[in-house]
Amino acid sequence: AQSVTQPDIHITVSEGASLELRCNYSYGATPYLFWYVQSPGQGLQLLLKYFSGDTLVQGIKGFEAEFKRSQSSFNLRKPSVHWSDAAEYFCTHMDTGRRALTFGSGTRLQVQP
Amino acid sequence: AAGVIQSPRHLIKEKRETATLKCYPIPRHDTVYWYQQGPGQDPQFLISFYEKMQSDKGSIPDRFSAQQFSDYHSELNMSSLELGDSALYFCASSHFRQEIYNEQFFGPGTRLTVL
């Protein structure tokens, strides 16, 4: 079955530090991958997406992600974290046959002052 | 810009009662998706509609039903509620295009609590 795995349930970083959230996928063909962010009590906001082309994709709020087929990874990065980035981050993929999204288990990011 | 609207935002019901959740997609969006997010869990796809027809079905219990109306809004009907139905229910909408990928825009969710 197609799936995405987020190995880190909870990550804490200091404000201003760099961030990398891990996501691994299992799928034979090129997957359609996304990162969503969910702030407390809020809906889900799309940060960035990948489905073809350049393997380094830029998103909103200064985030980027790199698709690495050799490592089956789609890690999310940000060079300098802001306190407002504290949220839950979901790596997701879309089953091309159904268009619905399948979510990873999420990584909760805490930002220390 | 207009966003996806969900109502109500919060709902409290007793076991075995029924609940109806509503979703109003972004104008000109023709596809609606429903997701369920249990406490501390990731969202799970329930069901989707395209042009008022069910287009896909996920892990939706038989006690639940949904439909999309002529104005493209959608309603999720939940009967014989169980404690385990307590969750955040998200609706997302998109505009179908020929390309495979259609970005889904999520609403703020309806938090259902079953007592």
Side-chain angles (χ1 to χ4, degrees):
Chain A
Q2 304 158 22
S3 68
V4 287
T5 304
Q6 295 180 246
D8 305 306
I9 297 173
H10 189 200
I11 282 184
T12 300
V13 299
S14 298
E15 190 169 16
S18 63
L19 171 71
E20 182 168 30
L21 302 182
R22 296 184 292 165
C23 173
N24 298 105
Y25 67 90
S26 62
Y27 189 67
T30 299
Y32 294 85
L33 296 166
F34 314 86
W35 276 98
Y36 280 84
V37 60
Q38 183 179 27
S39 299
Q42 301 295 313
L44 293 150
Q45 183 180 25
L46 178 66
L47 287 176
L48 46 79
K49 58 184 182 285
Y50 173 81
F51 48 94
S52 67
D54 293 337
T55 56
L56 183 64
V57 292
Q58 302 295 322
I60 62 171
K61 303 185 179 184
F63 286 93
E64 66 177 27
E66 187 169 12
F67 174 72
K68 292 185 178 180
R69 183 185 296 277
S70 61
Q71 299 176 19
S72 296
S73 68
F74 187 57
N75 295 347
L76 181 71
R77 302 193 296 245
K78 186 169 185 177
S80 178
V81 170
H82 188 262
W83 64 266
S84 61
D85 293 324
E88 184 97 23
Y89 291 80
F90 290 99
C91 180
T92 72
H93 81 88
M94 184 173 69
D95 182 337
T96 56
R98 69 188 326 190
R99 299 172 189 261
L101 295 173
T102 300
F103 287 76
S105 54
T107 297
R108 180 164 296 279
L109 173 67
Q110 272 194 316
V111 180
Q112 287 182 335
Chain B
V4 177
I5 297 172
Q6 291 188 247
S7 69
R9 292 292 308 277
H10 301 272
L11 190 59
I12 299 175
K13 291 286 186 179
E14 299 278 343
K15 277 178 18 180
R16 291 180 290 277
E17 285 190 321
T18 61
T20 297
L21 280 54
K22 297 184 179 182
C23 170
Y24 298 87
I26 291 172
R28 292 184 294 282
H29 280 194
D30 48 23
T31 307
V32 168
Y33 307 81
W34 285 97
Y35 294 85
Q36 177 193 56
Q37 184 179 26
Q41 299 179 6
D42 55 285
Q44 297 288 319
F45 169 68
L46 293 178
I47 195 167
S48 63
F49 293 87
Y50 167 64
E51 281 293 344
K52 293 151 277 185
M53 299 288 289
Q54 180 182 309
S55 57
D56 198 6
K57 200 170 181 180
S59 51
I60 185 169
D62 292 340
R63 299 177 288 107
F64 293 8
S65 66
Q67 62 183 123
Q68 186 179 30
F69 295 85
S70 58
D71 63 352
Y72 295 102
H73 93 274
S74 178
E75 295 184 3
L76 178 66
N77 299 293
M78 311 159 71
S79 63
S80 303
L81 287 169
E82 302 173 356
L83 296 178
D85 295 329
S86 295
L88 190 56
Y89 290 83
F90 285 111
C91 171
S93 75
S94 68
H95 175 61
F96 177 81
R97 289 183 293 272
Q98 285 301 109
E99 307 88 67
I100 290 294
Y101 170 67
N102 303 275
E103 179 177 344
Q104 295 182 28
F105 294 84
F106 282 80
T110 293
R111 184 167 297 283
L112 172 66
T113 302
V114 182
L115 302 176

